[in-house]
Amino acid sequence: MKQYGFLIDMQNCYGCKTCSMACKSENMTPMGVLWRRVRERHTDEPNTQAFISMSCNHCDDPQCMKVCPAGTYSKRADGIVVQDHDRCIGCRMCIMACPWSAPVYDPAEGKTSKCNLCAERLDEGLQPRCVESCPAGVLRFGEIAELRKEHTTPWAVLEKRYNLPDHTISQPNIVIIPPRD
């Protein structure tokens, strides 16, 4: 079975937020609704500053899908977790369940929404807009098995040093290259 995912290179991300703005522009999300966010991380030992671009990780065990009482979430054959936005009742259970804070609530509409990995662009043979727009090539997209052949994510380091969620909760389909020490 095919499973798409992202590679995120924290080593070379300088926090420009082009990916976030490209996503917002592509999906025409309302004011305050960002499906991809560039988060700044600081550590004391050693003293560092790093950036990580995050959106929905199209997890193997999507917590949003497990808890949604309206059944708005489903997983496509290519592993993309999509939302039927019309079915959303705005209860925010998905927000509470997602360890990655991927679903975003729009108070004006009273519903949540999230990244769909630019499924319509992929269906046309194009790259996700965030990947296409990144000036530093920090984001890559592809079959997760292939991305994992190139790099291994040091989860213990990332979870401790950069305060990332426990990856075993949802089994995210991301590969993260951490900053150099």
Side-chain angles (χ1 to χ4, degrees):
M1 183 172 124
K2 186 188 296 188
Q3 173 63 61
Y4 287 135
F6 287 110
L7 180 138
I8 305 158
D9 181 358
M10 288 179 74
Q11 224 171 67
N12 293 307
C13 182
Y14 46 86
C16 72
K17 300 184 179 160
T18 300
C19 57
S20 181
M21 293 302 98
C23 173
K24 184 162 190 56
S25 176
E26 175 72 20
N27 296 290
M28 296 182 287
T29 58
M31 180 84 102
V33 175
L34 293 174
W35 291 351
R36 177 166 289 282
R37 293 180 294 277
V38 177
R39 298 173 178 159
E40 192 170 342
R41 298 290 194 226
H42 297 273
T43 64
D44 289 332
E45 307 262 336
N47 188 10
T48 63
Q49 174 187 29
F51 299 95
I52 185 166
S53 175
M54 296 293 286
S55 68
C56 177
N57 296 317
H58 304 281
C59 302
D60 284 342
D61 188 14
Q63 301 302 296
C64 57
M65 199 163 82
K66 281 175 127 171
V67 303
C68 179
T72 63
Y73 295 98
S74 61
K75 202 164 172 63
R76 292 180 10 154
D78 55 13
I80 299 173
V81 177
V82 292
Q83 182 202 45
D84 180 347
H85 193 66
D86 292 336
R87 294 179 70 175
C88 179
I89 59 173
C91 68
R92 300 183 239 185
M93 293 291 292
C94 56
I95 292 172
M96 291 181 267
C98 178
W100 304 96
S101 304
V104 183
Y105 183 72
D106 177 7
E109 185 184 26
K111 292 185 176 194
T112 62
S113 59
K114 68 163 205 66
C115 159
N116 66 1
L117 220 156
C118 286
E120 63 291 336
R121 289 178 57 83
L122 296 179
D123 293 344
E124 294 174 16
L126 301 170
Q127 291 280 304
R129 183 65 76 188
C130 59
V131 172
E132 183 181 88
S133 71
C134 180
V138 164
L139 293 175
R140 287 187 32 218
F141 154 83
E143 287 196 41
I144 198 67
E146 295 303 310
L147 296 173
R148 287 179 176 147
K149 283 180 187 174
E150 295 177 39
H151 297 281
T152 304
T153 301
W155 286 111
V157 171
L158 290 167
E159 289 167 1
K160 183 177 181 199
R161 186 177 296 164
Y162 297 102
N163 198 29
L164 292 184
D166 178 351
H167 72 286
T168 63
I169 295 169
S170 62
Q171 299 298 323
N173 286 298
I174 53 175
V175 174
I176 303 173
I177 301 171
R180 292 178 192 91
D181 281 339

